[in-house]
Amino acid sequence: MESNKLYVGNLTYSVNEEQLKELFSQYGTVNDVRVIERKGFGFVEMSSPPEEAEAAKEALNNTVFEGRTMKIDEARPPPRPRSDFRRY
């Protein structure tokens, strides 16, 4: 992995940031957690090096948390805003 930021998907809507921080802190230092409310996903940023994020991903991907099987992957950068595209 090149990044230390993870996408965490398939969460129950009741999961909060503190719960994810506690879960991921078993694998290293958690810098930031952001749960997108009522969407069922969130992001966890681990401290450097990226090996901590890789260890968390390997250990937690496809495991059941709060009744749902989590999907964990390296977070991708957000898409470019539409205003950057030119029409001819």
Side-chain angles (χ1 to χ4, degrees), residues 11-72:
L11 297 171
T12 61
Y13 293 164
S14 64
V15 170
N16 62 42
E17 293 171 352
E18 192 58 40
Q19 289 172 304
L20 278 185
K21 183 175 184 176
E22 184 177 321
L23 179 65
F24 278 81
S25 65
Q26 300 173 49
Y27 303 95
T29 305
V30 176
N31 286 347
D32 187 40
V33 177
R34 186 155 300 136
V35 173
I36 310 304
E37 287 188 30
R38 300 173 44 124
K39 295 291 183 182
F41 70 94
F43 299 94
V44 175
E45 184 178 345
M46 306 289 288
S47 69
S48 306
E51 288 81 10
E52 289 183 356
E54 180 69 32
K57 176 186 169 190
E58 293 297 319
L60 297 173
N61 189 35
N62 292 318
T63 61
V64 176
F65 181 66
E66 297 292 317
R68 304 219 30 204
T69 303
M70 293 186 297
K71 302 295 181 193
I72 302 174

Side-chain angles (χ1 to χ4, degrees), residues 1-7 57 72-76:
M1 279 182 59
E2 296 176 19
S3 172
N4 59 346
K5 190 168 186 179
L6 297 169
Y7 162 84
K57 176 186 169 190
I72 302 174
D73 204 354
E74 185 174 3
R76 297 184 206 138

